[in-house]
């Protein structure tokens, strides 16, 4: 499969379509918090991080300080550093530093999973194609929600926020079905996430951003210890990746 821009666009299409209703919900929420529609759209086109944007709007509405904004964004979005580091192992030699900066802007949970699942080296043209439609759809969805969301019933607006989770489940099911180790890693990460969320002391002291990091690293470390790749498997994986 040639890793070109067109192929990246095709791979990014379902992600973009999944982002539309979620961004629609963000647009509705941002305007209801007191921002005007244009401000909501500017936030989406310059940030591209759903949880970070929601938290950022909350800090803005509460007239928080710049330091509070920096800390909130760091905690929520630090997981993208792990994703970027993981993807560097698959990048082709054509990825110059400026290209990496551009691609880094478009990394999201879903685009990371899609890129990481590719068997060939990731080229700049493929990565740019992969992130194009998600960014456009995220911005468009925000605009639609910000400018027209007020006419929708509350129940409809609440339901729109579930679409992205259904899409992410659809992305992780195929590899989990084919690889039992992946399935157990997902199960362990889910169990840890539920524990952190439902145990009062943990939920009070561990933020959502750090919860994602803890669950991902712990699940990966446990499965690496229980079911490590044999040297032959690792070599074959490097060739395929």
């Amino acid at each position: 499969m040639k890793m070109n821009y067109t192929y990246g666009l095709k791979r990014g299409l379902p992600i973009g379509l999944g982002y539309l209703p979620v961004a629609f919900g963000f647009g509705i929420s941002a305007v209801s918090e007191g921002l005007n529609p244009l401000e909501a759209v500017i936030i989406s086109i310059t940030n591209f991080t759903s949880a970070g944007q929601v938290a950022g709007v909350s800090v803005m509405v509460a007239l928080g300080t710049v330091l509070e904004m920096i800390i909130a964004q760091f905690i929520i979005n630090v997981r993208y550093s792990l994703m970027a580091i993981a993807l560097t192992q698959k990048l082709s030699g054509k990825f110059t530093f400026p290209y990496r900066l551009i691609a880094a802007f478009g990394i999201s949970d879903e685009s990371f999973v899609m890129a990481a699942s590719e068997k060939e080296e990731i080229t700049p043209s493929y990565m740019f194609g992969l992130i194009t439609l998600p960014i456009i759809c995220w911005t468009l969805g925000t605009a639609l929600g910000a400018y027209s969301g007020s006419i929708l019933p509350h129940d409809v607006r609440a339901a729109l926020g579930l679409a992205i989770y259904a899409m992410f489940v659809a992305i992780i099911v195929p590899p989990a079905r084919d690889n039992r180790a992946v399935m157990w890693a997902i199960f362990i990460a889910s169990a840890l996430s539920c524990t952190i969320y439902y145990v009062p002391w943990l939920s009070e002291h561990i933020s959502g951003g750090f919860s994602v990091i803890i669950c991902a690293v712990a699940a990966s470390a446990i499965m690496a210890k229980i079911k490590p790749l044999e040297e032959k498997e690792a070599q074959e994986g490097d060739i395929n990746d």
Side-chain angles (χ1 to χ4, degrees), residues 104-190:
F105 174 78
I107 292 178
S108 64
D109 300 296
E110 294 74 27
S111 62
F112 164 75
V113 171
M114 196 68 76
S117 66
E118 296 292 347
K119 301 300 182 182
E120 299 182 30
E121 283 189 334
I122 299 173
T123 63
S125 57
Y126 162 80
M127 196 66 192
F128 296 157
L130 179 65
I131 66 178
T132 295
L133 291 179
I135 292 175
I136 291 175
C137 290
W138 181 257
T139 305
L140 177 61
T142 300
L144 292 174
Y147 284 102
S148 63
S150 59
I151 65 176
L152 295 176
H154 177 269
D155 291 342
V156 174
R157 286 180 288 168
L160 290 172
L162 299 176
I164 192 113
Y165 302 105
M167 181 189 65
F168 192 71
V169 169
I171 291 175
I172 65 174
V173 164
R177 181 185 56 198
D178 298 334
N179 190 322
R180 192 172 296 274
V182 173
M183 180 187 69
W184 277 108
I186 294 172
F187 175 79
I188 293 171
S190 300

Side-chain angles (χ1 to χ4, degrees), residues 40 61 67 102 107 129 149 173 186 208-209 221 223:
V61 171
L67 180 60
I102 296 172
I107 292 178
V173 164
I186 294 172
M223 290 311 301

Side-chain angles (χ1 to χ4, degrees), residues 191-200 202-204 211:
L192 288 173
S193 179
C194 290
T195 301
I196 293 173
Y197 183 83
Y198 287 108
V199 175
L202 294 176
S203 62
E204 291 173 3
S211 175

